[in-house]
Amino acid sequence: MNERILELFQQSPEAYVSGEEISRRLNVSRTAIWKHIEELRAAGYEFEAAPRKGYRLVSKPDKWQVTELLQGLRTKVLGQKVHVYGEVDSTQTIAHALVASGAPEGTLVLAEAQTAGRGRMGRAWHSPAGKGIWMSLVLTPRVPVYFLPQLTLLSAVALCRSIQKVCQVDIGIKWPNDLLIKGKKVSGILLESSGEDERLKYVIAGIGISVNLKVEDYPEELRSVATSLAIESGAEIKRETLVQAFLLEFEELYALYLEKGFSPIRLLWEALSVTLKRPIRTHSPSGVIEGIADSLDDSGALTVITGNGEKIKVYSGDIELR
Ligand code: BTN
């Protein structure tokens, strides 16, 4: 039925189609039409509703253009194998399953929408259809498992630099890997891994970038803390271009990391940080820590200097900028 409703709108683009007309032509009730329009809205179609005129199709969801993505891809390994889905629960789940069936390093999973997008620390990730980049990247670095936080920071650097190259926005990294524009979150990274003999067997880097969401695409409770690249830059961004830029940036930094270790990545992270030298608060198992975020150590932990001059390392969790 959704397809048939869309066909009706496509026959008269730009025009209003009344509920009565849809109901007559498709032989369904007005309530059923309303339900289908709501389903299409959830799938990324935008409709304008006007009293006495009916509905007008304003825009269709963006769809991944895989051929275009691959044609403009300048990487050797990352993204050379792409799996594209419409709606999935989480691209992370799919990437884990692909690894189990032998998917090689660089395999990329992209989805238009996620119904159960996973965030860090058990949170959900808002992933509406066609509006963002919801992707998972398979990596197989043979490094010790305790290097994982370094890869988290590397991912944030790659993402931040690629966004700076593609979009005109002032973006920075909040420890460990949230990307913020004017204090609001625009992108998040979730690394999930599996180890063997104390070395990483594989890592799934899950990346969410809120690209073309409008304010009304966010639930009320996220509007004061989250934003999108389009809202902040004032222009729609081509998702394929950003994925290409990210994969290239990641591949270059990853090669540098595997050859030279974490030091060069740490310097880049520090240069992009909106955290260092600022007052922060965090919750640790032993209570609340407040102080000035001072520096990153070699493992990727954040050193915080408290009011009484004590240096405390924060290894995981979230911080609040005060
Ligand atoms: C965070 O900041 O909490 C991390 C968010 C990570 C979201 C991405 S979207 C693609 C991938 N699939 C998921 O389920 N989560 C990650």
Side-chain angles (χ1 to χ4, degrees):
M1 185 51 72
N2 286 355
E3 287 297 319
R4 293 179 64 201
I5 292 179
L6 284 175
E7 259 168 44
L8 267 187
F9 281 100
Q10 269 145 17
Q11 281 164 15
S12 35
E14 306 286 305
Y16 281 95
V17 185
S18 72
E20 194 188 333
E21 186 182 345
I22 307 173
S23 161
R24 188 174 41 78
R25 291 182 57 181
L26 303 182
N27 198 19
V28 281
S29 72
R30 301 279 285 268
T31 326
I33 293 166
W34 178 82
K35 235 186 75 211
H36 288 294
I37 297 272
E38 286 310 303
E39 276 172 21
L40 287 166
R41 278 189 169 133
Y45 291 86
E46 283 178 53
F47 291 93
E48 212 172 77
R52 287 184 297 279
K53 286 174 155 176
Y55 299 99
R56 192 168 75 87
L57 179 59
V58 180
S59 72
K60 297 185 216 159
D62 199 4
K63 293 263 189 256
W64 283 110
Q65 306 296 321
V66 183
T67 316
E68 203 178 312
L69 172 66
L70 291 174
Q71 271 166 359
L73 195 58
R74 301 202 338 265
T75 57
K76 292 195 174 68
V77 177
L78 303 190
Q80 292 299 326
K81 288 228 171 350
V82 187
H83 299 254
V84 183
Y85 297 83
E87 188 177 276
V88 299
D89 57 354
S90 159
T91 54
Q92 293 292 94
T93 311
I94 293 182
H96 282 284
L98 287 170
V99 170
S101 57
E105 178 157 67
T107 299
L108 183 71
V109 179
L110 287 173
E112 295 295 359
Q114 298 183 117
T115 52
R118 302 207 274 271
R120 289 175 62 235
M121 304 169 75
R123 289 187 286 242
W125 183 259
H126 180 58
S127 327
K131 302 278 179 155
I133 297 175
W134 325 127
M135 65 181 170
S136 296
L137 179 64
V138 175
L139 302 167
T140 55
R142 294 301 288 162
V143 298
V145 283
Y146 62 86
F147 281 16
L148 191 66
Q150 300 179 341
L151 285 166
T152 299
L153 299 166
L154 185 157
S155 310
V157 173
L159 197 48
C160 194
R161 284 164 62 99
S162 54
I163 291 175
Q164 283 178 333
K165 284 181 184 160
V166 173
C167 318
Q168 306 313 308
V169 286
D170 185 6
I171 189 162
I173 309 172
K174 176 176 151 238
W175 186 86
N177 59 4
D178 284 349
L179 296 196
L180 304 187
I181 302 177
K182 295 190 205 129
K184 288 186 177 181
K185 182 154 161 172
V186 75
S187 176
I189 300 168
L190 170 73
L191 260 59
E192 294 174 341
S193 64
S194 165
E196 196 176 60
D197 301 331
E198 293 179 18
R199 298 213 154 236
L200 289 170
K201 199 166 147 211
Y202 72 86
V203 175
I204 310 282
I207 290 132
I209 316 173
S210 301
V211 182
N212 290 323
L213 284 85
K214 298 181 180 148
V215 175
E216 57 272 23
D217 294 320
Y218 288 96
E220 197 62 47
E221 67 275 14
L222 288 182
R223 291 186 188 169
S224 60
V225 290
T227 191
S228 76
L229 295 174
I231 294 172
E232 298 303 326
S233 68
E236 286 230 337
I237 286 124
K238 203 155 173 37
R239 295 180 300 167
E240 289 77 6
T241 309
L242 189 47
V243 172
Q244 288 158 351
F246 167 72
L247 292 173
L248 185 61
E249 196 68 41
F250 196 110
E251 191 165 277
E252 287 170 359
L253 292 177
Y254 188 51
L256 180 68
Y257 171 73
L258 294 176
E259 194 197 341
K260 300 232 159 43
F262 184 56
S263 298
I265 308 300
R266 186 173 74 183
L267 292 178
L268 293 171
W269 188 96
E270 286 176 347
L272 295 169
S273 154
V274 292
T275 305
L276 298 183
K277 313 303 169 200
R278 289 190 55 182
I280 64 111
R281 176 186 298 119
T282 186
H283 296 267
S284 80
S286 50
V288 175
I289 300 170
E290 283 188 347
I292 305 292
D294 184 61
S295 53
L296 273 190
D297 76 4
D298 280 339
S299 71
L302 184 67
T303 306
V304 179
I305 305 186
T306 64
N308 59 17
E310 197 187 347
K311 282 190 177 176
I312 299 183
K313 293 210 173 178
V314 182
Y315 291 92
S316 62
D318 255 353
I319 59 164
E320 274 166 56
L321 299 174
R322 289 193 288 141

